[in-house]
Amino acid sequence: RPMGPLVALLVGLLSMVAADNAANCSAGIVSGFATQTNCQWDNLYANPIRVLFLDKQYVTTNPAAVAAVGSGYVYGSTCDSVRTAVPECFKASNWNGGWMGAFMAGVFTNYMNLGDSNIIAMTQANFTSATDPNNASSVYYQGSSAFTRCVWELSLGHVDLCVGDFWETQERRGIASFTTTIAVDQFFLVTKLKTLPPPSMFVFPKAFDEASMPTVFQPLTWQVWVVHCCLMFFGGCTFFFIEGTQKYLIGGRVRADNRQDEPEFEWTLHRWAWTVSSSLLHFLWNAPQFSPRTAGGMLALFGLCAHTLIITASYTASLTGFLSVSKVVQREVANFNSVEALVPKFASDPVAASMLINGKVCVLQSAQGLFSAVLNPNQLIGMDNYGPMFEQLLQDKCGSVVSGRNEYLMFVQASAMSFKLCANATDPKGYATCQPGYGASRVVNLKGCKCTSDPAQNPTTCPNDCPDEGRYADFVLADQTGFDQWYNWALPVRPDLEEIISTAILSSRLAGDLGNARDTELVGKLQVAASADSTGSLGFDALGTASMIGLYIYMAILLGLALLLHFVLSMISCVFKRKPAPKGEDGEEEVPTAGEAGPGEAPRGGKGKEDAESKLDQLMQRLARLDTELDSLVRAGRADAAYAAGAPPAKDVSYPSDVYQA
């Protein structure tokens, strides 16, 4: 009884402390989002969190450790082994390389105020035997994925946060908690090109394939064909208008000596049709179809010739590819539907189907669940990492691989990765680490190799020194029709830290830090090599209007300048009031001679009598020429036939007066 009041007082004090702690853990606002505050943040700062970094080139890297080790540093190996790790591997602030590393370094520093004293940096060297797939007593994880192994380590309480490009798979979600989604990783079906052997010269060609008829038009899209015909039609109309109105120019009524055999330009429907059709036919043999007589016509013809030259060269260059490349090279796997079509074969006769390479798909073990419902298990080949997986495709162990968008960029398009691979080609798994009894692994460097004889030489020219250069140059995307798979990127995290870290990640994303990190650490550091296209079409792309827009603009400018020049010259002619010259009896324009006045003009230099005498002299000269011609006809004896045969003129022949008069 005497102790009763004391016990009651002690219980009251404990209740007050508990109430105060509950108040300190009430919801608050941090970075604009509701979160638990006070005691949780105090616990975070008082007890450092254990963060395990998954070393992966261009994703989560440690530049300080790379600099300390030098050229011998191997991503995913050096910092992950107790034999090769250096002190720089275990400092949190050093893991600021790669797009994920740079992003999370900013989250820790700018949004959580965490430094090296608040983070215990860990690597795969800190994995325990409880998740070692090579440990027979391991009851938690027997797979080969280091990412899934980290999730298990977190579930067992050995790690508080895993940092890397983690997929939020169903299996992993059932093991540990994850942060909010960081980004979405879209998958692509990647295959390789194979060269078909040329047909034997003794094999008769197969029957005509009507599907190949449109091939001759494929180098240009239908929009380009339509615009080309419209431009040529407009160019023909422009030339027709300019040449048809040339007689209104100052010098339009004077013909050059080499144009006397050309017909007079007439404003008729036939003449218009001939001009336009000639303009369109101009495309076929790249030769002038007109003889322009005006400056505007010459400029318009120059535009037509330039347009035809460029179109012809572009069409010819692309046509060669369409008619040859696509018939020699094709994809190993056309699309995912062709893989699904082989499911019954693998189910009914797995032994015979095992020879069908195009029916097998290599995929990371952690992503196999995406396809287990649609493909036969015998069709899926699970791999431990991307490098060995791409190697399986190269060695014809599978016909296609499932790759994330970043990995396709790093391994295929930029060909800039280095990774470990079992050096023994007979290893049954083909993982980064050889199976027991199959020797050691080697490092594959897709880029950075130099020829020993000449370091400045292209590495592809010295395969003995650089056997891995351009290793995956023949890898391309299959047709993605019917293939739509993706995973979220999120980080495995200790449950009580999920809300705090997710809030910081979301704040950083909204500030645009994720896009900046990816542009700087991934896209900005990779140089995409010229390789097969990524759209699913093989060989050559048809030239579209976007490629030809410059040509269209230049063509329109030249035709516009031609019309403007013709208009200006016509205005000048109107100012000087020059009229078209009249035509003589023979249909030819009368050309004024020296001292002769043109139509509507005053007499030139002399009296009328002198002009009349000059005309009389000209008439007499014409009569003399006529007399000579008649003399030749009569003396030959046979008028037309003898003259056409070129008989020599006769001498001393008298002329009957009636013949002369005729």
Side-chain angles (χ1 to χ4, degrees):
R1 289 181 183 177
M3 296 296 295
L6 184 60
V7 172
L9 178 62
L10 181 59
V11 172
L13 290 175
L14 292 176
S15 300
M16 292 176 61
V17 172
D20 182 66
N21 289 339
N24 289 339
C25 288
S26 60
I29 302 297
V30 175
S31 300
F33 298 92
T35 183
Q36 298 294 329
T37 58
N38 298 334
C39 64
Q40 286 192 343
W41 286 99
D42 292 340
N43 292 335
L44 181 63
Y45 295 137
N47 302 303
I49 60 174
R50 297 161 297 177
V51 180
L52 195 149
F53 296 91
L54 274 297
D55 188 16
K56 184 178 178 180
Q57 193 174 4
Y58 298 109
V59 180
T60 309
T61 62
N62 190 323
V66 174
V69 175
S71 59
Y73 187 91
V74 179
Y75 291 96
S77 177
T78 301
C79 279
D80 295 333
S81 173
V82 294
R83 296 186 300 270
T84 57
V86 294
E88 287 80 3
C89 297
F90 303 99
K91 186 176 181 181
S93 59
N94 290 342
W95 290 95
N96 59 353
W99 68 271
M100 181 64 77
F103 173 70
M104 288 306 299
V107 170
F108 292 145
T109 303
N110 302 327
Y111 297 91
M112 299 182 67
N113 297 322
L114 299 179
D116 289 329
S117 61
N118 306 114
I119 301 176
I120 299 175
M122 305 170 67
T123 68
Q124 295 185 48
N126 299 104
F127 280 159
T128 64
S129 60
T131 59
D132 187 359
N134 297 320
N135 184 5
S137 62
S138 175
V139 295
Y140 296 101
Y141 183 61
Q142 296 289 340
S144 59
S145 172
F147 288 80
T148 304
R149 188 178 178 185
C150 187
V151 177
W152 275 107
E153 291 285 350
L154 187 145
S155 176
L156 295 173
H158 304 154
V159 178
D160 298 324
L161 177 69
C162 298
V163 175
D165 53 346
F166 280 83
W167 292 331
E168 190 180 2
T169 66
Q170 182 179 5
E171 175 194 5
R172 294 171 180 174
R173 256 296 187 181
I175 301 173
S177 300
F178 277 76
T179 64
T180 185
T181 299
I182 296 177
V184 176
D185 189 12
Q186 182 182 4
F187 293 133
F188 296 109
L189 190 66
V190 182
T191 185
K192 67 177 181 178
L193 301 177
K194 62 178 181 180
T195 303
L196 301 179
S200 174
M201 61 180 298
F202 300 103
V203 177
F204 191 77
K206 66 176 183 178
F208 171 72
D209 184 8
E210 63 277 1
S212 63
M213 290 187 63
T215 305
V216 294
F217 300 102
Q218 290 178 356
L220 305 178
T221 62
W222 68 267
Q223 295 94 335
V224 173
W225 285 109
V226 171
V227 175
H228 164 70
C229 292
C230 291
L231 278 177
M232 297 302 292
F233 179 84
F234 178 72
C237 293
T238 301
F239 193 90
F240 175 74
F241 172 77
I242 293 176
E243 291 298 297
T245 57
Q246 58 91 20
K247 60 183 179 181
Y248 295 101
L249 299 179
I250 291 180
R253 58 188 177 84
V254 181
R255 291 191 175 205
D257 293 339
N258 60 346
R259 308 288 169 82
Q260 297 295 336
D261 57 338
E262 294 184 357
E264 179 65 20
F265 200 100
E266 298 178 353
W267 284 88
T268 62
L269 181 62
H270 176 268
R271 179 69 178 187
W272 175 84
W274 178 86
T275 304
V276 174
S277 61
S278 298
S279 175
L280 296 177
L281 291 175
H282 186 122
F283 174 70
L284 298 178
W285 55 82
N286 193 23
Q289 300 296 317
F290 307 107
S291 297
R293 304 173 181 176
T294 63
M298 294 179 182
L299 188 58
L301 183 60
F302 174 77
L304 291 175
C305 290
H307 175 265
T308 301
L309 177 63
I310 297 176
I311 286 290
T312 304
S314 302
Y315 173 82
T316 305
S318 298
L319 181 64
T320 303
F322 274 91
L323 295 181
S324 59
V325 172
S326 60
K327 295 183 181 300
V328 179
V329 180
Q330 70 179 27
R331 284 175 170 80
E332 184 72 41
V333 173
N335 49 48
F336 190 70
N337 294 333
S338 64
V339 178
E340 289 183 298
L342 296 175
V343 172
K345 181 69 174 178
F346 277 86
S348 61
D349 192 356
V351 177
S354 62
M355 304 300 295
L356 301 176
I357 302 302
N358 58 345
K360 296 182 179 181
V361 180
C362 288
V363 59
L364 294 186
Q365 288 183 350
S366 54
Q368 283 183 275
L370 289 174
F371 311 99
S372 58
V374 294
L375 296 181
N376 187 281
N378 296 323
Q379 293 182 267
L380 296 174
I381 300 178
M383 300 301 298
D384 62 333
N385 214 328
Y386 272 107
M389 184 176 69
F390 280 112
E391 196 66 20
Q392 293 287 96
L393 177 60
L394 182 68
Q395 301 300 331
D396 292 330
K397 301 296 179 62
C398 54
S400 59
V401 300
V402 177
S403 171
R405 59 172 180 171
N406 288 344
E407 284 69 27
Y408 182 72
L409 171 65
M410 295 184 292
F411 280 88
V412 179
Q413 291 182 303
S415 188
M417 293 294 290
S418 61
F419 57 91
K420 288 181 61 178
L421 178 69
C422 182
N424 192 339
T426 62
D427 185 274
K429 296 291 187 180
Y431 291 166
T433 303
C434 295
Q435 300 300 303
Y438 285 89
S441 301
R442 74 179 184 93
V443 178
V444 177
N445 290 308
L446 300 180
K447 195 172 185 179
C449 180
K450 295 183 179 180
C451 300
T452 55
S453 59
D454 183 10
Q457 187 178 353
N458 188 344
T460 58
T461 60
C462 54
N464 293 331
D465 298 332
C466 303
D468 301 326
E469 195 76 20
R471 192 173 185 85
Y472 305 139
D474 291 335
F475 286 9
V476 295
L477 293 182
D479 184 4
Q480 303 300 305
T481 303
F483 188 81
D484 183 18
Q485 304 291 343
W486 51 271
Y487 268 141
N488 288 334
W489 276 313
L491 303 182
V493 62
R494 200 176 73 196
D496 61 305
L497 297 177
E498 176 185 350
E499 191 173 4
I500 294 178
I501 297 178
S502 294
T503 301
I505 288 175
L506 187 57
S507 300
S508 182
R509 280 184 53 193
L510 293 177
D513 297 337
L514 180 62
N516 294 334
R518 189 177 187 276
D519 292 340
T520 303
E521 296 293 330
L522 181 64
V523 180
K525 292 185 177 181
L526 296 177
Q527 182 180 1
V528 178
S531 61
D533 64 284
S534 59
T535 60
S537 58
L538 178 63
F540 292 80
D541 288 333
L543 298 177
T545 53
S547 304
M548 295 292 180
I549 188 65
L551 175 63
Y552 300 150
I553 293 176
Y554 297 145
M555 177 71 173
I557 291 176
L558 287 175
L559 293 179
L561 290 177
L563 289 173
L564 179 62
L565 178 61
H566 183 70
F567 176 78
V568 171
L569 294 179
S570 299
M571 291 298 100
I572 294 176
S573 300
C574 292
V575 171
F576 285 93
K577 299 180 180 179
R578 299 296 297 272
K579 299 180 180 179
K583 299 180 180 179
E585 296 179 356
D586 56 355
E588 294 291 336
E589 296 175 355
E590 294 183 356
V591 182
T593 57
E596 179 183 359
E601 298 179 352
R604 303 179 183 177
K607 298 180 180 180
K609 181 179 180 180
E610 295 177 353
D611 294 338
E613 291 177 352
S614 176
K615 290 184 178 180
L616 181 59
D617 291 339
Q618 294 179 14
L619 291 175
M620 295 299 295
Q621 293 177 5
R622 294 180 63 184
L623 287 175
R625 290 197 299 271
L626 180 60
D627 181 71
T628 303
E629 294 173 359
L630 290 175
D631 180 64
S632 299
L633 293 175
V634 174
R635 292 173 64 88
R638 297 171 60 185
D640 294 334
Y643 181 75
K651 299 181 180 180
D652 300 331
V653 177
S654 59
Y655 305 105
S657 58
D658 55 338
V659 174
Y660 183 82
Q661 293 297 331

